Amino acid sequence: MACEDIRSDHLVAFAKGLLDGDGAPSTVGNYMWHLSSVFAIARPAWGYPLDGGAMKDAMTVCKRLGYIAKSKQRGRRPTQDELDKLMAHFVERSQRRRRSAPQAQDHCHGSLLDQARERDLWSLLE
């Protein structure tokens, strides 16, 4: 399909296809958000005749129809045993492969803390 022929109903059908293919509404939203970035700059940056208005309309329709939604809250946190296994893996890998990032354990801890809720962090500090 030519760029100038893409309409909002094509984009909505694309989103629906992702949803029907076992994609979660949050995943569909992620795809559509990235695609909307392309539509926003395609014409001024590269001269591709994509209609940014069609993308905006498609996003509105997808939100209203529930094709796009925020991700579900995650309540599960890793157990201490799971954390110990992760740390053991990173230590073993850094010993086995000297070129691996020596700060992998720190990155793992940082990622876990980034994902933690504020109240969880406060409970750790108390």
Side-chain angles (χ1 to χ4, degrees), residues 11-12 14-16 18 24-42 46 50 52 54-60 62-63 67-71:
L11 297 165
V12 171
F14 170 72
K16 177 80 166 90
L18 291 172
S26 59
T27 304
V28 175
N30 194 20
Y31 272 66
M32 296 297 283
W33 182 81
H34 287 316
L35 194 55
S36 70
S37 297
V38 173
F39 270 72
I41 66 167
W46 307 299
L50 289 172
M55 188 69 220
K56 288 179 184 176
D57 291 345
M59 292 291 277
T60 300
C62 287
K63 287 176 187 174
Y67 297 173
I68 294 174
K70 291 185 177 187
S71 61

Side-chain angles (χ1 to χ4, degrees), residues 74-87 90 107-117 120-121 124:
R74 291 182 174 95
R76 184 184 179 285
R77 300 289 180 254
T79 65
Q80 187 60 50
D81 184 52
E82 291 169 329
L83 292 173
D84 291 344
K85 286 179 182 177
L86 277 172
M87 292 303 112
F90 288 127
H107 288 293
C108 185
H109 280 123
S111 295
L112 291 168
L113 289 175
D114 283 347
Q115 298 301 317
R117 288 184 237 145
D120 295 338
L121 292 174
L124 292 173

